[in-house]
Amino acid sequence: CSNEFYIRDDYYTKYVEKRLDHLKNVYSNTELLQSNEMKDYEMLMQLCHETGIDPYIIFIPTNGYFYDYTGLTADKRYALYDRLVEIAETYGFSYFDMRNREYEPYILFDWIHLGWKGWVYVSEQISNYFGQNRQ
């Protein structure tokens, strides 16, 4: 990756580069904790609990470099991670929290999808979790 966001170059060239001016601080007024997706997540966790489903939840990180640029601050992102974890813990669900990797190159290949290193961490974690909890 040859760009400041550690986004795969072909993806960056096609989807980001020409929109950089528009993307600067575009999410500065976004309230993550008030989103419909947050309500959906809460309902899903409640449904899993009520029906006896025991999910293993993976909180993948965002691309910190990119979201800082778009104005979605680390404080807002971390408040979201905290709330997601809180809800999972309320229902007693296990999870893997990757928020500490927001600025680690190659965890993501764009700003939200797992990349080369990200899949290694997730695959290892899933293998370890289900290997230990198979009984």
Side-chain angles (χ1 to χ4, degrees):
C1 298
S2 61
N3 58 77
E4 64 188 291
F5 305 114
Y6 291 93
I7 293 173
R8 195 175 70 197
D9 286 331
D10 61 324
Y11 193 92
Y12 176 83
T13 301
K14 186 172 182 178
Y15 296 106
V16 179
E17 189 172 38
K18 294 174 184 151
R19 299 178 54 212
L20 272 180
D21 289 341
H22 168 74
L23 292 169
K24 181 72 173 167
N25 292 318
V26 72
Y27 296 130
S28 60
N29 294 319
T30 300
E31 294 299 328
L32 295 172
L33 297 176
Q34 308 305 319
S35 70
N36 287 332
E37 291 83 2
M38 179 57 73
K39 293 174 190 166
D40 292 344
Y41 170 72
E42 290 183 62
M43 288 183 358
L44 176 61
M45 295 299 100
Q46 183 179 0
L47 179 65
C48 288
H49 178 72
E50 290 173 359
T51 57
I53 296 170
D54 186 20
Y56 182 60
I57 304 162
I58 299 172
F59 301 120
I60 64 170
T62 62
N63 180 323
Y65 299 108
F66 180 77
Y67 280 105
D68 287 345
Y69 183 82
T70 65
L72 191 57
T73 64
D75 289 345
K76 287 183 178 183
R77 296 190 311 266
Y78 272 66
L80 175 65
Y81 294 127
D82 289 343
R83 182 68 182 132
L84 295 171
V85 165
E86 179 185 344
I87 293 167
E89 289 177 345
T90 296
Y91 293 105
F93 298 143
S94 298
Y95 58 88
F96 176 42
D97 184 355
M98 296 180 67
R99 77 174 88 183
N100 64 334
R101 299 193 183 281
E102 279 197 338
Y103 296 97
E104 187 174 329
Y106 313 115
I107 292 296
L108 302 170
F109 85 83
D110 55 13
W111 54 85
I112 56 172
H113 295 99
L114 285 174
W116 312 273
K117 284 176 71 177
W119 276 115
V120 171
Y121 288 123
V122 168
S123 296
E124 179 181 49
Q125 190 67 29
I126 289 172
S127 178
N128 290 340
Y129 177 79
F130 285 102
Q132 294 171 0
N133 293 299
R134 204 179 283 198
Q135 293 112 9

